[in-house]
Amino acid sequence: MEEKLSVNHLLGIKNINQNDIKLIFKTADNFKTVINRSIKRVPSLRDITVANIFFENSTRTRVSFELAEKRLSADIVNFSSTSSSVSKGETLIDTVNNILAMKVDMVVMRHPAPGAAVFLAKNTNTQVINAGDGTHEHPTQALLDAYSIKEKLGDVKGKKIAIIGDILHSRVAISNILCLKKLGAEVMVCGPATLIPKYIGSMGVKIEYNLQNALKWCDVANMLRIQLERQDIKYFPSLREYTMQYGINLQTLQNLEKEIVIMHPGPINRGVEITSDVADHNQSIILNQVENGVAIRMAVLYLLAMKKTENVKN
Ligand code: NCD
């Protein structure tokens, strides 16, 4: 029997189990060979229409989902809040129900409110993929990050991953912690005390305020951007001071007595959390993450579509 996901939606890493993650990785392996062929398209989602609904800015994630859908031959509708009736006062449910009335099968949504994807899945009759809900979760980013670590280091289990930067406002940090822990990695968060939330220790991660200690400990450093757009008060004196304490430059990398892998979900603020020579260094897998993002999103779309066929049959 064909393997299936345990869920009908991808709302967060919290909602999926280790078998789901392994199945997504195995399916992504196949799609990765597809996207590296000269003919990159397969007919798997030919009868499916996907709506990409983005209520928050995005470049990488939106393009990555769109490419993944195109490679699977899905029909696509795109819409963002600036060009929608949301700015005219329409509610989220009304907006989405109007789109669904046009016979859309799946919704990929990014929204600034934590819980928006769960809310949508509960209140509409469609499959939902969370493409980032405020400071809550960003499951496909965590999946592509863990997949890229596995590809680079052979396995995620037992590896030491340091997530460095603005943990407080980062959905990437939360989803990464959940995903890496489910795969048996050791996880550390590192940043200024003001950007490390108090509850984080209960997620089973180590906490370190000193960058050098974190780098000496880890196999992989995942560098996060300071989410200035989500900060209503000052969490540190200046960006310059942040860079001096938590930024990685070539010297920092060369002073370590071992090679570590550098990751970043993007968008990079070159010269703030990471210098250009580190971002473009051969220890950096930032562009591999972007490539793997398409394969991972193809796998998620495909496996969820398979669940839908199963539900219709039953
Ligand atoms: C991340 C996001 O939107 O949460 N970016 C992304 O999806 N590639 C991280 C960020 O914005 O810093």
mmCIF file of all heavy atoms in Angstrom, residues 260-299:
data_model
loop_
_atom_site.group_PDB
_atom_site.id
_atom_site.type_symbol
_atom_site.label_atom_id
_atom_site.label_comp_id
_atom_site.label_asym_id
_atom_site.label_seq_id
_atom_site.Cartn_x
_atom_site.Cartn_y
_atom_site.Cartn_z
ATOM 1 N N ILE A 260 32.162 24.358 10.149
ATOM 2 C CA ILE A 260 30.730 24.233 10.434
ATOM 3 C C ILE A 260 29.947 24.605 9.178
ATOM 4 O O ILE A 260 30.467 25.284 8.296
ATOM 5 C CB ILE A 260 30.289 25.119 11.631
ATOM 6 C CG1 ILE A 260 30.554 26.610 11.352
ATOM 7 C CG2 ILE A 260 30.948 24.678 12.918
ATOM 8 C CD1 ILE A 260 29.847 27.525 12.326
ATOM 9 N N VAL A 261 28.708 24.131 9.111
ATOM 10 C CA VAL A 261 27.848 24.441 7.971
ATOM 11 C C VAL A 261 27.065 25.709 8.290
ATOM 12 O O VAL A 261 26.553 25.864 9.402
ATOM 13 C CB VAL A 261 26.860 23.268 7.702
ATOM 14 C CG1 VAL A 261 25.925 23.593 6.560
ATOM 15 C CG2 VAL A 261 27.623 21.975 7.435
ATOM 16 N N ILE A 262 27.009 26.639 7.326
ATOM 17 C CA ILE A 262 26.271 27.894 7.531
ATOM 18 C C ILE A 262 24.960 27.850 6.743
ATOM 19 O O ILE A 262 24.948 27.567 5.541
ATOM 20 C CB ILE A 262 27.096 29.105 7.032
ATOM 21 C CG1 ILE A 262 28.445 29.187 7.768
ATOM 22 C CG2 ILE A 262 26.305 30.410 7.164
ATOM 23 C CD1 ILE A 262 28.349 29.588 9.226
ATOM 24 N N MET A 263 23.870 28.159 7.460
ATOM 25 C CA MET A 263 22.554 28.200 6.803
ATOM 26 C C MET A 263 21.882 29.547 7.066
ATOM 27 O O MET A 263 22.207 30.235 8.029
ATOM 28 C CB MET A 263 21.642 27.099 7.368
ATOM 29 C CG MET A 263 22.184 25.716 7.187
ATOM 30 S SD MET A 263 21.110 24.481 7.951
ATOM 31 C CE MET A 263 19.674 24.549 6.920
ATOM 32 N N HIS A 264 20.919 29.885 6.227
ATOM 33 C CA HIS A 264 20.132 31.109 6.414
ATOM 34 C C HIS A 264 18.834 30.940 5.614
ATOM 35 O O HIS A 264 18.889 30.569 4.450
ATOM 36 C CB HIS A 264 20.930 32.316 5.907
ATOM 37 C CG HIS A 264 20.401 33.641 6.392
ATOM 38 N ND1 HIS A 264 19.094 34.031 6.211
ATOM 39 C CD2 HIS A 264 21.009 34.659 7.058
ATOM 40 C CE1 HIS A 264 18.926 35.235 6.755
ATOM 41 N NE2 HIS A 264 20.067 35.636 7.277
ATOM 42 N N PRO A 265 17.667 31.206 6.240
ATOM 43 C CA PRO A 265 16.419 31.021 5.486
ATOM 44 C C PRO A 265 16.175 32.123 4.452
ATOM 45 O O PRO A 265 15.320 31.970 3.570
ATOM 46 C CB PRO A 265 15.337 31.067 6.575
ATOM 47 C CG PRO A 265 15.943 31.870 7.685
ATOM 48 C CD PRO A 265 17.418 31.613 7.633
ATOM 49 N N GLY A 266 16.936 33.232 4.569
ATOM 50 C CA GLY A 266 16.682 34.372 3.691
ATOM 51 C C GLY A 266 15.443 35.126 4.151
ATOM 52 O O GLY A 266 14.608 34.557 4.847
ATOM 53 N N PRO A 267 15.269 36.375 3.841
ATOM 54 C CA PRO A 267 16.243 37.201 3.146
ATOM 55 C C PRO A 267 17.432 37.572 4.044
ATOM 56 O O PRO A 267 17.247 37.849 5.222
ATOM 57 C CB PRO A 267 15.428 38.451 2.777
ATOM 58 C CG PRO A 267 14.300 38.500 3.756
ATOM 59 C CD PRO A 267 14.013 37.098 4.154
ATOM 60 N N ILE A 268 18.635 37.543 3.444
ATOM 61 C CA ILE A 268 19.859 37.846 4.192
ATOM 62 C C ILE A 268 20.007 39.356 4.337
ATOM 63 O O ILE A 268 19.725 40.089 3.392
ATOM 64 C CB ILE A 268 21.099 37.340 3.407
ATOM 65 C CG1 ILE A 268 21.036 35.838 3.187
ATOM 66 C CG2 ILE A 268 22.388 37.728 4.095
ATOM 67 C CD1 ILE A 268 22.162 35.332 2.306
ATOM 68 N N ASN A 269 20.404 39.801 5.505
ATOM 69 C CA ASN A 269 20.842 41.198 5.625
ATOM 70 C C ASN A 269 22.353 41.173 5.660
ATOM 71 O O ASN A 269 22.967 41.050 6.736
ATOM 72 C CB ASN A 269 20.258 41.854 6.880
ATOM 73 C CG ASN A 269 18.795 42.224 6.684
ATOM 74 O OD1 ASN A 269 18.363 42.519 5.576
ATOM 75 N ND2 ASN A 269 18.041 42.210 7.758
ATOM 76 N N ARG A 270 22.956 41.227 4.463
ATOM 77 C CA ARG A 270 24.422 41.135 4.369
ATOM 78 C C ARG A 270 25.063 42.223 5.215
ATOM 79 O O ARG A 270 24.661 43.378 5.136
ATOM 80 C CB ARG A 270 24.868 41.256 2.911
ATOM 81 C CG ARG A 270 24.566 40.007 2.092
ATOM 82 C CD ARG A 270 24.984 40.140 0.650
ATOM 83 N NE ARG A 270 24.543 38.976 -0.119
ATOM 84 C CZ ARG A 270 25.364 38.027 -0.567
ATOM 85 N NH1 ARG A 270 26.656 38.102 -0.357
ATOM 86 N NH2 ARG A 270 24.867 37.015 -1.247
ATOM 87 N N GLY A 271 26.040 41.820 6.016
ATOM 88 C CA GLY A 271 26.734 42.807 6.857
ATOM 89 C C GLY A 271 26.075 42.978 8.220
ATOM 90 O O GLY A 271 26.618 43.650 9.079
ATOM 91 N N VAL A 272 24.905 42.368 8.442
ATOM 92 C CA VAL A 272 24.295 42.434 9.777
ATOM 93 C C VAL A 272 24.530 41.093 10.484
ATOM 94 O O VAL A 272 25.482 40.964 11.253
ATOM 95 C CB VAL A 272 22.790 42.793 9.721
ATOM 96 C CG1 VAL A 272 22.206 42.833 11.132
ATOM 97 C CG2 VAL A 272 22.586 44.131 9.026
ATOM 98 N N GLU A 273 23.716 40.062 10.174
ATOM 99 C CA GLU A 273 23.920 38.775 10.854
ATOM 100 C C GLU A 273 25.011 37.937 10.186
ATOM 101 O O GLU A 273 25.514 36.976 10.761
ATOM 102 C CB GLU A 273 22.596 37.986 10.959
ATOM 103 C CG GLU A 273 21.996 37.490 9.649
ATOM 104 C CD GLU A 273 21.135 38.538 8.959
ATOM 105 O OE1 GLU A 273 21.140 39.698 9.413
ATOM 106 O OE2 GLU A 273 20.465 38.197 7.964
ATOM 107 N N ILE A 274 25.359 38.293 8.955
ATOM 108 C CA ILE A 274 26.310 37.478 8.205
ATOM 109 C C ILE A 274 26.966 38.376 7.148
ATOM 110 O O ILE A 274 26.283 39.187 6.520
ATOM 111 C CB ILE A 274 25.513 36.299 7.559
ATOM 112 C CG1 ILE A 274 26.396 35.251 6.944
ATOM 113 C CG2 ILE A 274 24.514 36.756 6.566
ATOM 114 C CD1 ILE A 274 25.586 33.998 6.548
ATOM 115 N N THR A 275 28.288 38.267 6.979
ATOM 116 C CA THR A 275 28.945 39.093 5.953
ATOM 117 C C THR A 275 28.840 38.379 4.601
ATOM 118 O O THR A 275 28.577 37.179 4.542
ATOM 119 C CB THR A 275 30.436 39.329 6.287
ATOM 120 O OG1 THR A 275 31.038 38.053 6.537
ATOM 121 C CG2 THR A 275 30.607 40.234 7.485
ATOM 122 N N SER A 276 29.090 39.119 3.529
ATOM 123 C CA SER A 276 28.982 38.541 2.187
ATOM 124 C C SER A 276 29.933 37.371 1.993
ATOM 125 O O SER A 276 29.562 36.351 1.414
ATOM 126 C CB SER A 276 29.293 39.609 1.128
ATOM 127 O OG SER A 276 28.170 40.415 0.965
ATOM 128 N N ASP A 277 31.170 37.508 2.519
ATOM 129 C CA ASP A 277 32.127 36.408 2.288
ATOM 130 C C ASP A 277 31.731 35.127 3.027
ATOM 131 O O ASP A 277 32.115 34.035 2.618
ATOM 132 C CB ASP A 277 33.588 36.834 2.594
ATOM 133 C CG ASP A 277 33.719 37.663 3.862
ATOM 134 O OD1 ASP A 277 32.774 37.638 4.682
ATOM 135 O OD2 ASP A 277 34.756 38.338 4.019
ATOM 136 N N VAL A 278 30.935 35.250 4.080
ATOM 137 C CA VAL A 278 30.439 34.036 4.749
ATOM 138 C C VAL A 278 29.227 33.476 3.994
ATOM 139 O O VAL A 278 29.125 32.281 3.755
ATOM 140 C CB VAL A 278 30.083 34.315 6.234
ATOM 141 C CG1 VAL A 278 29.394 33.116 6.870
ATOM 142 C CG2 VAL A 278 31.339 34.672 7.010
ATOM 143 N N ALA A 279 28.329 34.386 3.578
ATOM 144 C CA ALA A 279 27.137 33.944 2.832
ATOM 145 C C ALA A 279 27.548 33.192 1.564
ATOM 146 O O ALA A 279 26.916 32.199 1.181
ATOM 147 C CB ALA A 279 26.272 35.146 2.473
ATOM 148 N N ASP A 280 28.617 33.643 0.918
ATOM 149 C CA ASP A 280 29.035 33.038 -0.349
ATOM 150 C C ASP A 280 30.156 32.004 -0.174
ATOM 151 O O ASP A 280 30.712 31.517 -1.142
ATOM 152 C CB ASP A 280 29.507 34.150 -1.314
ATOM 153 C CG ASP A 280 28.433 35.226 -1.493
ATOM 154 O OD1 ASP A 280 27.239 34.872 -1.411
ATOM 155 O OD2 ASP A 280 28.775 36.402 -1.682
ATOM 156 N N HIS A 281 30.480 31.667 1.049
ATOM 157 C CA HIS A 281 31.571 30.727 1.371
ATOM 158 C C HIS A 281 31.189 29.298 0.980
ATOM 159 O O HIS A 281 30.004 28.975 0.926
ATOM 160 C CB HIS A 281 31.803 30.803 2.888
ATOM 161 C CG HIS A 281 33.120 30.267 3.330
ATOM 162 N ND1 HIS A 281 33.319 28.953 3.652
ATOM 163 C CD2 HIS A 281 34.322 30.883 3.511
ATOM 164 C CE1 HIS A 281 34.575 28.777 4.014
ATOM 165 N NE2 HIS A 281 35.203 29.932 3.939
ATOM 166 N N ASN A 282 32.205 28.445 0.762
ATOM 167 C CA ASN A 282 31.837 27.062 0.388
ATOM 168 C C ASN A 282 31.279 26.254 1.569
ATOM 169 O O ASN A 282 30.759 25.163 1.382
ATOM 170 C CB ASN A 282 32.999 26.330 -0.312
ATOM 171 C CG ASN A 282 34.230 26.255 0.561
ATOM 172 O OD1 ASN A 282 34.154 26.496 1.775
ATOM 173 N ND2 ASN A 282 35.377 25.929 -0.038
ATOM 174 N N GLN A 283 31.364 26.786 2.791
ATOM 175 C CA GLN A 283 30.699 26.115 3.923
ATOM 176 C C GLN A 283 29.219 26.526 4.022
ATOM 177 O O GLN A 283 28.477 25.979 4.829
ATOM 178 C CB GLN A 283 31.405 26.488 5.240
ATOM 179 C CG GLN A 283 32.693 25.710 5.454
ATOM 180 C CD GLN A 283 33.536 26.284 6.580
ATOM 181 O OE1 GLN A 283 34.669 26.680 6.364
ATOM 182 N NE2 GLN A 283 32.988 26.338 7.787
ATOM 183 N N SER A 284 28.813 27.488 3.196
ATOM 184 C CA SER A 284 27.420 27.942 3.242
ATOM 185 C C SER A 284 26.544 27.102 2.298
ATOM 186 O O SER A 284 26.921 26.842 1.157
ATOM 187 C CB SER A 284 27.360 29.424 2.838
ATOM 188 O OG SER A 284 26.125 29.726 2.246
ATOM 189 N N ILE A 285 25.368 26.675 2.788
ATOM 190 C CA ILE A 285 24.470 25.886 1.925
ATOM 191 C C ILE A 285 23.186 26.671 1.634
ATOM 192 O O ILE A 285 22.134 26.091 1.361
ATOM 193 C CB ILE A 285 24.159 24.481 2.532
ATOM 194 C CG1 ILE A 285 23.509 24.585 3.935
ATOM 195 C CG2 ILE A 285 25.409 23.629 2.586
ATOM 196 C CD1 ILE A 285 22.862 23.275 4.393
ATOM 197 N N ILE A 286 23.295 27.999 1.684
ATOM 198 C CA ILE A 286 22.101 28.848 1.551
ATOM 199 C C ILE A 286 21.371 28.616 0.222
ATOM 200 O O ILE A 286 20.136 28.493 0.194
ATOM 201 C CB ILE A 286 22.498 30.339 1.734
ATOM 202 C CG1 ILE A 286 23.039 30.542 3.159
ATOM 203 C CG2 ILE A 286 21.305 31.255 1.468
ATOM 204 C CD1 ILE A 286 23.627 31.916 3.442
ATOM 205 N N LEU A 287 22.108 28.486 -0.868
ATOM 206 C CA LEU A 287 21.422 28.281 -2.151
ATOM 207 C C LEU A 287 20.911 26.849 -2.316
ATOM 208 O O LEU A 287 19.922 26.620 -3.013
ATOM 209 C CB LEU A 287 22.329 28.703 -3.322
ATOM 210 C CG LEU A 287 22.542 30.221 -3.408
ATOM 211 C CD1 LEU A 287 23.455 30.591 -4.559
ATOM 212 C CD2 LEU A 287 21.216 30.989 -3.524
ATOM 213 N N ASN A 288 21.571 25.902 -1.640
ATOM 214 C CA ASN A 288 21.033 24.525 -1.642
ATOM 215 C C ASN A 288 19.690 24.496 -0.933
ATOM 216 O O ASN A 288 18.773 23.782 -1.342
ATOM 217 C CB ASN A 288 21.972 23.558 -0.911
ATOM 218 C CG ASN A 288 23.371 23.598 -1.457
ATOM 219 O OD1 ASN A 288 24.058 24.607 -1.333
ATOM 220 N ND2 ASN A 288 23.794 22.531 -2.085
ATOM 221 N N GLN A 289 19.578 25.304 0.131
ATOM 222 C CA GLN A 289 18.291 25.388 0.844
ATOM 223 C C GLN A 289 17.193 25.856 -0.124
ATOM 224 O O GLN A 289 16.093 25.320 -0.131
ATOM 225 C CB GLN A 289 18.375 26.383 2.011
ATOM 226 C CG GLN A 289 19.229 25.931 3.176
ATOM 227 C CD GLN A 289 19.376 27.055 4.204
ATOM 228 O OE1 GLN A 289 20.370 27.772 4.210
ATOM 229 N NE2 GLN A 289 18.396 27.222 5.069
ATOM 230 N N VAL A 290 17.521 26.864 -0.930
ATOM 231 C CA VAL A 290 16.523 27.401 -1.857
ATOM 232 C C VAL A 290 16.130 26.339 -2.891
ATOM 233 O O VAL A 290 14.942 26.122 -3.159
ATOM 234 C CB VAL A 290 17.059 28.673 -2.563
ATOM 235 C CG1 VAL A 290 16.047 29.195 -3.566
ATOM 236 C CG2 VAL A 290 17.391 29.753 -1.538
ATOM 237 N N GLU A 291 17.121 25.624 -3.414
ATOM 238 C CA GLU A 291 16.823 24.579 -4.401
ATOM 239 C C GLU A 291 15.959 23.482 -3.763
ATOM 240 O O GLU A 291 14.949 23.057 -4.324
ATOM 241 C CB GLU A 291 18.125 23.967 -4.942
ATOM 242 C CG GLU A 291 17.845 22.877 -5.975
ATOM 243 C CD GLU A 291 19.085 22.124 -6.451
ATOM 244 O OE1 GLU A 291 20.210 22.601 -6.228
ATOM 245 O OE2 GLU A 291 18.889 21.052 -7.059
ATOM 246 N N ASN A 292 16.353 23.065 -2.564
ATOM 247 C CA ASN A 292 15.603 22.007 -1.890
ATOM 248 C C ASN A 292 14.186 22.440 -1.534
ATOM 249 O O ASN A 292 13.288 21.610 -1.419
ATOM 250 C CB ASN A 292 16.347 21.557 -0.630
ATOM 251 C CG ASN A 292 17.614 20.794 -0.974
ATOM 252 O OD1 ASN A 292 17.720 20.213 -2.048
ATOM 253 N ND2 ASN A 292 18.584 20.801 -0.072
ATOM 254 N N GLY A 293 13.986 23.737 -1.371
ATOM 255 C CA GLY A 293 12.662 24.255 -1.043
ATOM 256 C C GLY A 293 11.623 23.860 -2.085
ATOM 257 O O GLY A 293 10.489 23.509 -1.741
ATOM 258 N N VAL A 294 12.009 23.886 -3.339
ATOM 259 C CA VAL A 294 11.056 23.533 -4.399
ATOM 260 C C VAL A 294 10.693 22.043 -4.302
ATOM 261 O O VAL A 294 9.513 21.671 -4.354
ATOM 262 C CB VAL A 294 11.626 23.883 -5.799
ATOM 263 C CG1 VAL A 294 10.650 23.478 -6.896
ATOM 264 C CG2 VAL A 294 11.945 25.377 -5.894
ATOM 265 N N ALA A 295 11.706 21.197 -4.115
ATOM 266 C CA ALA A 295 11.452 19.743 -4.031
ATOM 267 C C ALA A 295 10.599 19.398 -2.809
ATOM 268 O O ALA A 295 9.663 18.583 -2.888
ATOM 269 C CB ALA A 295 12.781 18.996 -3.976
ATOM 270 N N ILE A 296 10.902 20.046 -1.677
ATOM 271 C CA ILE A 296 10.125 19.794 -0.449
ATOM 272 C C ILE A 296 8.671 20.240 -0.645
ATOM 273 O O ILE A 296 7.725 19.537 -0.271
ATOM 274 C CB ILE A 296 10.765 20.535 0.755
ATOM 275 C CG1 ILE A 296 12.006 19.796 1.249
ATOM 276 C CG2 ILE A 296 9.768 20.751 1.891
ATOM 277 C CD1 ILE A 296 11.742 18.487 1.983
ATOM 278 N N ARG A 297 8.469 21.395 -1.275
ATOM 279 C CA ARG A 297 7.090 21.896 -1.444
ATOM 280 C C ARG A 297 6.336 21.037 -2.460
ATOM 281 O O ARG A 297 5.132 20.810 -2.299
ATOM 282 C CB ARG A 297 7.120 23.376 -1.828
ATOM 283 C CG ARG A 297 7.596 24.190 -0.624
ATOM 284 C CD ARG A 297 7.683 25.660 -0.800
ATOM 285 N NE ARG A 297 8.006 26.262 0.486
ATOM 286 C CZ ARG A 297 9.154 26.902 0.777
ATOM 287 N NH1 ARG A 297 10.086 27.069 -0.151
ATOM 288 N NH2 ARG A 297 9.357 27.385 1.986
ATOM 289 N N MET A 298 7.046 20.529 -3.473
ATOM 290 C CA MET A 298 6.393 19.591 -4.395
ATOM 291 C C MET A 298 5.928 18.358 -3.628
ATOM 292 O O MET A 298 4.807 17.877 -3.816
ATOM 293 C CB MET A 298 7.378 19.160 -5.502
ATOM 294 C CG MET A 298 7.641 20.218 -6.557
ATOM 295 S SD MET A 298 8.945 19.729 -7.707
ATOM 296 C CE MET A 298 8.042 18.708 -8.871
ATOM 297 N N ALA A 299 6.793 17.860 -2.740
ATOM 298 C CA ALA A 299 6.453 16.653 -1.966
ATOM 299 C C ALA A 299 5.224 16.896 -1.090
ATOM 300 O O ALA A 299 4.310 16.065 -1.031
ATOM 301 C CB ALA A 299 7.647 16.238 -1.109
#
